[in-house]
Amino acid sequence: MSIRTYKVGQRLALNWRSQAHPIHTDIQPVLSAIRHGKHRIAQDRFNQLCLRMNLMKWEASVVADLIRDTCARNNISFR
């Protein structure tokens, strides 16, 4: 196991699974609507997110999986 060293001011590389990645702030409105049981609003927000970020179909499916995983991790039910 190697230890990474970083210079002062150097940022860590982010991937989409990192909680600091910007996609996690983009999906918060969708998660909030799901948490409150507003499924139509959640779908509208997801569609707006896909349009705003100009996501392709496979990218949208990755974001949807990320939303499902976050809901499962936080015990948010879809029903």
Side-chain angles (χ1 to χ4, degrees), residues 2 20 27 32 44 47 53-54 57 69-70 73 75 79:
S2 66
I27 65 172
S32 176
D44 290 343
N47 292 339
M53 295 182 76
N54 198 19
K57 188 173 184 173
D69 291 344
T70 305
R73 196 175 332 111
N75 295 326
R79 299 189 193 274

Side-chain angles (χ1 to χ4, degrees), residues 7 15 28:
K7 297 176 186 165
N15 65 12
Q28 287 304 320

Side-chain angles (χ1 to χ4, degrees), residues 4-68:
R4 291 186 180 185
T5 57
Y6 295 98
K7 297 176 186 165
V8 174
Q10 184 179 5
R11 300 184 123 194
L12 299 172
L14 293 177
N15 65 12
W16 63 273
R17 288 188 173 134
S18 170
Q19 291 295 323
H21 193 279
I23 191 70
H24 290 280
T25 58
D26 290 337
I27 65 172
Q28 287 304 320
V30 179
L31 293 173
S32 176
I34 293 171
R35 183 179 296 122
H36 294 293
K38 312 283 186 183
H39 301 290
R40 187 184 56 79
I41 294 173
Q43 185 64 47
D44 290 343
R45 289 179 180 175
F46 178 74
N47 292 339
Q48 290 171 358
L49 172 70
C50 291
L51 287 174
R52 182 172 48 85
M53 295 182 76
N54 198 19
L55 299 179
M56 289 187 255
K57 188 173 184 173
W58 68 271
E59 293 170 327
S61 69
V62 169
V63 172
D65 289 341
L66 181 62
I67 290 170
R68 280 189 213 98

